[in-house]
Amino acid sequence: MASEGLECSICCERFNEEKLCPRLLSCGHSFCSSCLEKLFKEYAINCPTCRSAVSVPAGVRGLPKNFALLDVLQATPQTPAGGNEDLRLCEVCDEEKHPATSCCLDCKEDMCKDVARWHTRQKATRGHRVVSLEELKANPKLAAVPVFCPDHNEQYRFFDEECNRVVCRDCVTLKHNGHKCLSLAEAASKYRQEMEALVTKASTHAEEIKAAEVQVAAVSVDLNKAYEVQAARIKGAFKDLYIALSTREQALLNELDQLRKTKAFTLTEQQDRLRIFQACLESAVQRATSTIQSGNTELLVAMTDIVSTIGAMEKQPLVLEPQVDRAVLDFNINLEQLLDFLHNAGMVSDKSTCAATTTAQGAGLEVAVPGKEASCTIIARDVQGSLRGVGGDLFMVELTENDEVRVKCNVEDKGDGTYVVNYTIPSYSKGTLRLSVLFHQTHIKGSPFLVCDVPVGKVSCYNCSARTKSMIYYRNNREWSREDCYRVNGYSAVCNNCTFRTQQGWIKCCGPC
């Protein structure tokens, strides 16, 4: 028998139950203890096959043994060195060793053709499992050691359906006497079908989960794209706002500078005029002072000119006060309002549909006629309660009676954020039903709704007492508790001829029907 798979893939040595004992990593790969000791580092081992980091808190000896591989090793004797790997000799023959053709899985011995025939005919070994080497080579799992009962050391033979466990012969006699027990083959055949159905159902569910995972991944990609788009919009908006603020800042500074220059020019001109006048006046005063200190003749000769000059200067109009006020420049802005606007500028919102704010309307939320289609409309809204305006949402609508689904409702997406629900309650329904409208497994606002069925042709007009099949039903909250032939489940019935006589406060819900 080929030794492929019975050797450690690292050292290429054949596994055994000692130093080369196969140890199973959590990733599913097996290696001998000796090689794993060399790979063990800081309570972890990197699997040489899949490169997974496997935690080994209890050390290599704490790893589980690969018992399935050990069972195959026990049933597969090692080929002597230098021998033909495919040649296996009979282990029962004493003198001349004949080529083995079979193997006893219970005795774990290879046998030649004659010994195998004799082995299956002996009373003590008649029940042993003897298989051909070709069969064993094709299916190594046949060599697995049978599981024994830990209490009686007997091989499991039966399955107790009452206790739901495998048992041996002694267990049936001592502990499970009177229980319904099947042979392992019968029980396996019976429960294999159930498990296959379970596996099929689980596989289908797994496919649904896989599809849901793909859908969630797609939504995640869309979410990231939406984030990038809106983030770019926010950055662009605030960049434009910054540019606008900077532009306005520069414009105000330019206006302020122009105003300063105008005022400064006026003050400069005034200052120049005062300086010239001061110089002229000081010159006249100095001349007069010099004349006063001179002789009489010089005084009298120059007096007329000096008096005339100083008198003319004193009569000259002169502005002494500054022609520009000190606090002439000012800047006005409602800084608090502007800062408040900037601090609250923009708003990030979730525009996806929210179950808590989504509403529904229509007569189908309150009353329905058995056998006749009823309808209502779902209005999708976002977190702020605003209309979504687009379709594509998945709503689940169920009509139940006594917690049992009675009617599967049809939901039509109108593409504008509204969804029309149509359903027809069966004729055998009686009393009140529950209409559940869910979005992502969450009830929308007001759900579940209580729907009352109205028996057509079995009620009388509230006003004229006529009994017709065509009635219009009104919600009459003033007489909610009243139940008679004029009211059905809290609704007043009115015939077509008496609709003008309906009382104030009545609300039409259904009809004519």
Side-chain angles (χ1 to χ4, degrees):
M1 185 176 183
S3 61
E4 182 180 0
L6 303 181
E7 297 176 351
C8 176
S9 60
I10 300 177
C11 63
C12 298
E13 294 290 338
R14 182 184 174 91
F15 291 118
N16 57 37
E17 296 185 3
E18 299 176 358
K19 292 184 179 181
L20 301 180
C21 178
R23 299 281 181 175
L24 186 63
L25 299 178
S26 61
C27 60
H29 299 114
S30 297
F31 305 95
C32 70
S33 300
S34 179
C35 291
L36 290 177
E37 290 287 356
K38 298 176 183 178
L39 297 173
F40 180 71
K41 185 179 181 181
E42 296 181 356
Y43 298 100
I45 294 176
N46 290 326
C47 177
T49 302
C50 64
R51 305 299 180 185
S52 298
V54 179
S55 176
V56 190
V60 174
R61 292 191 175 275
L63 290 171
K65 296 181 180 180
N66 192 334
F67 290 103
L69 193 56
L70 289 174
D71 291 341
V72 176
L73 284 171
Q74 292 179 3
T76 311
Q78 184 175 2
T79 303
N84 188 348
E85 185 178 355
D86 292 331
L87 180 61
R88 297 173 62 174
L89 302 178
C90 179
E91 298 181 77
V92 181
C93 296
D94 294 331
E95 298 179 357
E96 184 179 357
K97 295 290 185 181
H98 298 92
T101 60
S102 305
C103 177
C104 178
L105 301 180
D106 295 285
C107 298
K108 300 293 186 294
E109 291 180 333
D110 290 344
M111 301 176 182
C112 64
K113 184 177 181 180
D114 295 334
V115 173
R117 187 185 303 111
W118 169 80
H119 196 73
T120 56
R121 292 179 179 177
Q122 291 293 321
K123 184 176 181 180
T125 59
R126 190 179 298 167
H128 286 196
R129 297 172 298 160
V130 179
V131 298
S132 65
L133 295 182
E134 289 77 9
E135 186 179 0
L136 183 61
K137 184 176 181 180
N139 187 8
K141 292 183 179 180
L142 292 174
V145 178
V147 183
F148 288 85
C149 174
D151 296 331
H152 308 104
N153 198 26
E154 287 284 340
Q155 185 177 345
Y156 287 129
R157 300 289 184 183
F158 305 98
F159 180 79
D160 189 337
E161 288 194 314
E162 296 184 18
C163 298
N164 197 30
R165 57 176 296 182
V166 288
V167 293
C168 66
R169 288 194 182 95
D170 291 345
C171 287
V172 173
T173 304
L174 300 176
K175 296 182 179 180
H176 302 267
N177 190 16
H179 290 190
K180 183 180 180 181
C181 296
L182 302 177
S183 66
L184 296 183
E186 292 175 337
S189 176
K190 176 181 178 181
Y191 290 104
R192 182 173 283 108
Q193 295 179 357
E194 295 182 5
M195 292 185 65
E196 288 175 351
L198 182 63
V199 168
T200 301
K201 183 178 179 181
S203 300
T204 303
H205 188 47
E207 291 296 328
E208 293 175 352
I209 293 176
K210 185 177 180 180
E213 183 182 359
V214 173
Q215 186 176 4
V216 170
V219 173
S220 178
V221 172
D222 293 341
L223 176 63
N224 292 332
K225 289 181 179 179
Y227 164 78
E228 293 175 358
V229 171
Q230 300 307 321
R233 289 187 61 194
I234 291 174
K235 292 179 180 179
F238 277 86
K239 182 178 180 181
D240 294 341
L241 187 61
Y242 173 76
I243 294 174
L245 287 173
S246 299
T247 303
R248 182 57 180 165
E249 176 191 15
Q250 191 60 45
L252 290 173
L253 289 175
N254 292 339
E255 291 180 14
L256 181 65
D257 184 59
Q258 185 63 35
L259 185 60
R260 179 190 64 81
K261 288 180 179 179
T262 302
K263 299 296 183 181
F265 180 76
T266 301
L267 293 174
T268 300
E269 284 188 336
Q270 184 184 13
Q271 189 176 10
D272 291 342
R273 288 195 300 270
L274 291 175
R275 186 182 297 109
I276 294 172
F277 188 85
Q278 180 186 7
C280 294
L281 184 61
E282 288 179 352
S283 176
V285 170
Q286 185 179 2
R287 179 185 174 189
T289 302
S290 176
T291 300
I292 292 173
Q293 294 176 354
S294 63
N296 296 330
T297 303
E298 288 83 356
L299 173 65
L300 295 175
V301 171
M303 177 184 66
T304 303
D305 183 50
I306 293 173
V307 170
S308 167
T309 301
I310 294 177
M313 294 181 66
E314 289 182 349
K315 292 180 180 180
Q316 184 176 346
L318 186 67
V319 179
L320 299 179
E321 295 295 329
Q323 291 183 307
V324 176
D325 295 336
R326 291 181 178 274
V328 70
L329 302 181
D330 191 19
F331 168 64
N332 293 318
I333 185 174
N334 193 335
L335 185 60
E336 182 178 356
Q337 183 179 358
L338 180 60
L339 290 177
D340 181 66
F341 168 76
L342 292 176
H343 289 156
N344 298 281
M347 181 177 65
V348 177
S349 60
D350 183 5
K351 289 298 182 181
S352 60
T353 300
C354 175
T357 58
T358 295
T359 58
Q361 63 184 23
L365 298 177
E366 299 183 81
V367 292
V369 179
K372 187 172 182 179
E373 186 176 73
S375 65
C376 60
T377 302
I378 302 172
I379 304 174
R381 301 178 185 273
D382 59 21
V383 177
Q384 285 75 31
S386 303
L387 298 176
R388 285 272 288 125
V390 295
D393 293 322
L394 182 62
F395 288 93
M396 185 178 71
V397 184
E398 291 181 344
L399 193 64
T400 60
E401 182 180 9
N402 298 327
D403 296 331
E404 293 185 7
V405 178
R406 288 292 186 184
V407 178
K408 188 166 178 130
C409 305
N410 178 45
V411 181
E412 181 183 359
D413 186 353
K414 291 298 184 179
D416 58 356
T418 62
Y419 304 80
V420 176
V421 179
N422 297 303
Y423 66 89
T424 303
I425 63 175
S427 57
Y428 54 80
S429 295
K430 294 182 180 180
T432 303
L433 296 87
R434 292 164 59 93
L435 182 67
S436 300
V437 182
L438 300 100
F439 179 70
H440 290 172
Q441 305 299 323
T442 303
H443 286 278
I444 69 169
K445 187 176 182 179
S447 177
F449 303 94
L450 299 181
V451 179
C452 299
D453 67 308
V454 291
V456 179
K458 298 181 180 180
V459 294
S460 300
C461 176
Y462 187 89
N463 295 318
C464 68
S465 301
R467 178 172 292 187
T468 65
K469 289 187 177 181
S470 181
M471 289 284 183
I472 301 175
Y473 292 89
Y474 293 84
R475 187 170 62 225
N476 179 5
N477 294 331
R478 296 181 180 179
E479 298 178 312
W480 185 258
S481 60
R482 173 179 166 183
E483 291 291 343
D484 50 31
C485 63
Y486 303 102
R487 287 179 54 78
V488 178
N489 300 325
Y491 294 85
S492 298
V494 179
C495 67
N496 288 330
N497 298 328
C498 296
T499 54
F500 68 93
R501 298 173 59 187
T502 55
Q503 300 182 21
Q504 185 178 4
W506 287 21
I507 301 175
K508 180 180 177 180
C509 295
C510 181
C513 54

